[in-house]
Amino acid sequence: MIFGGEERLREQIENTLRIMDGDLYMVLTACMVDMIGDQTRAIAAEFQTAEKPVLCAETGGFRGTAYKGYDIAMSVLIRDYVAKSAKKEEKTVNLLGVVPIQDVFWQRDLTLLKNLLEQLGLHVNTFFGEDETLENLKSSGQATLNIVLSPVYGIAAAETYQEVHGIPYMVTPFPIGDVATSAFLRSLGQRLELDNTLVESVISHNQRIYYRYLEKLVDVYM
């Protein structure tokens, strides 16, 4: 929260751009700023350039929890930062709905899902997983499908992708265990018209790994 209103915010952004070396800058508003109605988005737009993009997300705490903030921030990035592209990459997908830091395993979950989908021959953007960069986000408008891994969170972001970039989306519960993961892969395979033999081969391969772990756990327990 910047005390002093719009002029103070303008000064703060100027100073930040001068001393902070970054590739993307975002102004996040607090409760009082949103209640007062400062024109934070208009001020951020004054500094918007291709070299140093400055975006603004209205994230006053009364709007909701961090899960709601995920959708707000992602929608701003999708609308104002992701590059528009008429060309779609047939086997590129984006994963949405896993909110960073709200689960201790969130980053590893994204990595394992990415690895699983890569076995199907897909290129996967997770945005918040390991080894992801801003380039993954900026070029994500070329994806052919968004996969929302939650019946609640990430849907607003997916709708923004569909509205701005023309990318359809599918909603699925986060796949946990053999039955749910197998069903997810088969559903995705049908949606993307993937080779069914390949899908079943990937499922079979990972089932063997999965049940080997369970066998060891049962041995230890017994």
Side-chain angles (χ1 to χ4, degrees), residues 39 55 73 76 88 95 102 123 132 138 183 202 206 210 217:
Q39 299 300 309
L55 309 180
V76 170
K88 302 300 179 187
L95 296 185
Q102 302 308 304
H123 175 73
E132 296 275 319
K138 192 163 190 177
V202 169
N206 285 280
Y210 176 74
L217 288 173

Side-chain angles (χ1 to χ4, degrees), residues 71-83:
D71 272 322
I72 293 173
M74 284 299 297
S75 293
V76 170
L77 289 166
I78 293 162
R79 189 179 301 278
D80 299 332
Y81 182 71
V82 174

Side-chain angles (χ1 to χ4, degrees), residues 16 65 93 118 120 123 151 159 201 219:
T16 300
T65 66
V93 298
E118 285 177 342
L120 296 176
H123 175 73
E159 289 176 344
S201 174
D219 286 343

